[in-house]
Amino acid sequence: MDLDAVRTFVAAADAGQFQDAAAALSITQQAVSKRIAALEKDLEVRLFTRTARGAQLTIDGQAFLPHARELLRVEARADASVRPGRRALRVDVHSRRTAPGCCCRTSTARTRGSSWMS
């Protein structure tokens, strides 16, 4: 499902006219019509009844609208989850030790010129 088409559907539903949706999305009215037609074809339902006064949601369009809004919210959350600076800083502290004890002994023994195992 094309999320740009879903975004266009929501804008058209909110505006009530394809021309106003086009202006809000900074695209042409023809692009709005094509995106809506593609979404309707994908879903195999009519989402709008086109009239001289604009576009009204069909029963299927009314049923789809809350799900379309949720798709856009999920998209925004998914996008924000991977954008640097938009997610909460997470710091995990596992223990106070910075290295295992055996590594420290080996390191200390080498600086003295002898093996810690001897």
Side-chain angles (χ1 to χ4, degrees):
M1 184 174 297
D2 180 7
L3 289 177
D4 284 332
V6 173
R7 188 173 294 102
T8 302
F9 165 74
V10 171
D14 290 345
Q17 294 187 350
F18 286 9
Q19 185 173 5
D20 293 343
L25 297 170
S26 300
I27 60 176
T28 65
Q29 183 176 346
Q30 182 181 13
V32 170
S33 294
K34 285 184 177 185
R35 286 180 183 180
I36 297 294
L39 184 59
E40 289 175 328
K41 183 177 179 181
D42 188 35
L43 295 172
E44 299 179 354
V45 297
R46 291 220 34 111
L47 298 170
F48 289 98
T49 301
R50 283 101 169 143
T51 67
R53 294 185 187 143
Q56 286 188 315
L57 287 173
T58 63
I59 291 173
D60 290 323
Q62 292 171 15
F64 182 64
L65 184 58
H67 301 287
R69 291 187 195 282
E70 183 61 20
L71 282 170
L72 298 178
R73 282 191 290 272
V74 169
E75 176 199 25
R77 285 194 308 264
D79 184 54
S81 74
V82 295
R83 298 264 180 204
R86 292 199 173 170
R87 58 181 167 231
L89 177 63
R90 179 179 169 179
V91 178
D92 290 331
V93 178
H94 296 283
S95 72
R96 295 179 63 184
R97 289 186 176 170
T98 58
C102 66
C103 295
C104 293
R105 282 181 271 176
T106 302
S107 175
T108 305
R110 286 186 187 148
T111 59
R112 291 186 189 151
S114 64
S115 171
W116 68 276
M117 296 180 78
S118 54

